């Protein structure tokens, strides 16, 4: 190795160190200034796969820390989802739309009644100081189909206990909910196995 190479390497190392030092200072100062502590409203929307699994992952994370969580599912599942079978055993309360809304929905009145029934339970959860995390899975559709009243949902979210976290999943989330949320992620579909004729897989898709 020539002296020249060594000094070039040293130079690059110094530059890298200086860059990392600057980055560390920036991150540290952002961490220091993030002092607020309160319940978050999180929205996971978009057309890609990963919204409900993200919501359930957060519930599992919370339960792992000993927090109390509850889940409301606004779509009648064709299959019992794996998360329910796991999390109910861990003490997570589930409110599931037993009848009504599916992808090939036929009876609008019945669907609205089923949505309202789950929503009544949600209002209780959103008013319960003992529940730390509430997952409202597939709720966005209830607002896009106008099965639930936007104003009522917003009021319940605004009036919930200060430290309660809420996660809402589903495609095409209403703008007003996005505006209200603290954290919003849009899952984009790059490709999905279903497009290539692969059927939904147990443990992966439900
Ligand atoms: P997951 O529950 O796997 O996180 P998701 O909540 O993001 O999915 P939904 O729109 O709720 O997606 O759809 C539920 C089902 O549809 C799942 O079985 C999922 O694999 C499948 N799915 C999700 N995105 C797509 C897509 N872009 N094309 C086809 N099927 C999809
Ligand atoms: Mg989903």
């Amino acid at each position: 190795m020539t002296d020249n190479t060594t000094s070039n390497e040293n130079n690059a190392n110094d530059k890298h160190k200086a860059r990392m030092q600057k980055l560390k200072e920036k991150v540290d100062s952002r961490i220091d200034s993030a002092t607020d502590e309160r319940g978050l409203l999180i929205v996971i929307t978009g057309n890609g796969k990963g919204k409900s699994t993200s919501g359930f992952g957060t519930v599992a994370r919370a339960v792992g820390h000993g927090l109390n969580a509850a889940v409301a599912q606004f779509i009648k599942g064709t299959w019992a989802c794996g998360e329910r079978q796991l999390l109910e055993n861990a003490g997570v309360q589930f409110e599931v739309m037993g009848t009504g809304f599916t992808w090939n929905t036929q009876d609008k009145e019945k669907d609205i009644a089923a949505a309202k029934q789950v929503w009544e339970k949600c209002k209780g959860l959103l008013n319960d100081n003992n529940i730390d995390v509430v997952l409202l899975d597939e709720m966005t559709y209830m607002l896009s189909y106008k099965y639930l009243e936007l104003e009522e949902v917003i009021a319940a979210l605004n009036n919930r206990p200060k430290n309660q976290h809420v996660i809402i999943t589903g495609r095409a989330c209403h703008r007003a909910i996005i505006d209200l949320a603290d954290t919003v992620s849009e899952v984009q579909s790059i490709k999905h196995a279903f497009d290539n004729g692969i059927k939904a897989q147990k443990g992966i898709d439900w």
Side-chain angles (χ1 to χ4, degrees), residues 55-117:
F56 280 115
T58 309
V59 168
R61 179 176 281 184
V63 170
H65 282 291
L67 301 186
N68 289 325
V71 175
Q73 287 184 293
F74 280 93
I75 287 194
K76 180 190 172 192
T78 318
W79 310 285
C81 76
E83 291 96 332
R84 184 177 177 188
Q85 304 186 78
L86 182 78
L87 293 167
E88 253 181 353
N89 283 332
V92 175
Q93 179 184 341
F94 270 71
E95 300 296 343
V96 182
M97 225 149 107
T99 56
F101 194 86
T102 61
W103 296 115
N104 53 355
T105 184
Q106 303 286 328
D107 186 340
K108 197 174 169 193
E109 291 311 312
K110 211 169 123 194
D111 291 352
I112 292 175
K116 286 197 191 301
Q117 208 176 353

Side-chain angles (χ1 to χ4, degrees), residues 141-161:
Y141 306 102
M142 301 303 107
L143 297 171
S144 27
Y145 286 99
K146 298 194 167 38
Y147 287 3
L148 300 177
E149 285 206 23
L150 179 65
E151 288 70 26
E152 199 184 326
V153 171
I154 288 179
L157 291 170
N158 276 330
N159 295 327
R160 74 188 194 277

Side-chain angles (χ1 to χ4, degrees), residues 7-189:
S7 91
N8 279 345
E9 273 174 8
N10 285 342
N11 223 338
N13 268 339
D14 288 349
K15 271 193 180 151
H16 175 75
K17 214 174 158 182
R19 254 202 320 269
M20 292 313 284
Q21 181 61 33
K22 252 200 183 138
L23 181 65
K24 182 178 161 22
E25 280 165 17
K26 247 192 199 163
V27 174
D28 283 350
S29 103
R30 285 184 68 188
I31 291 171
D32 286 345
S33 61
T35 53
D36 279 9
E37 206 176 314
R38 63 175 170 81
L40 299 175
L41 176 59
I42 300 170
V43 171
I44 314 286
T45 190
N47 293 331
K49 172 174 163 55
K51 299 175 291 295
S52 296
T53 42
S54 166
F56 280 115
T58 309
V59 168
R61 179 176 281 184
V63 170
H65 282 291
L67 301 186
N68 289 325
V71 175
Q73 287 184 293
F74 280 93
I75 287 194
K76 180 190 172 192
T78 318
W79 310 285
C81 76
E83 291 96 332
R84 184 177 177 188
Q85 304 186 78
L86 182 78
L87 293 167
E88 253 181 353
N89 283 332
V92 175
Q93 179 184 341
F94 270 71
E95 300 296 343
V96 182
M97 225 149 107
T99 56
F101 194 86
T102 61
W103 296 115
N104 53 355
T105 184
Q106 303 286 328
D107 186 340
K108 197 174 169 193
E109 291 311 312
K110 211 169 123 194
D111 291 352
I112 292 175
K116 286 197 191 301
Q117 208 176 353
V118 178
W119 174 242
E120 284 306 312
K121 302 278 186 189
C122 292
K123 283 200 281 188
L125 298 171
L126 294 171
N127 204 19
D128 187 342
N129 254 314
N130 293 317
I131 310 268
D132 304 299
V133 179
V134 181
L135 169 60
L136 303 172
D137 190 34
E138 318 296 352
M139 189 199 227
T140 57
Y141 306 102
M142 301 303 107
L143 297 171
S144 27
Y145 286 99
K146 298 194 167 38
Y147 287 3
L148 300 177
E149 285 206 23
L150 179 65
E151 288 70 26
E152 199 184 326
V153 171
I154 288 179
L157 291 170
N158 276 330
N159 295 327
R160 74 188 194 277
K162 183 179 172 279
N163 289 317
Q164 187 182 73
H165 304 291
V166 176
I167 307 150
I168 294 177
T169 77
R171 298 178 190 204
C173 186
H174 195 288
R175 188 76 233 174
I177 302 287
I178 287 180
D179 288 346
L180 193 66
D182 300 287
T183 298
V184 180
S185 292
E186 184 172 28
V187 184
Q188 192 193 341
S189 184

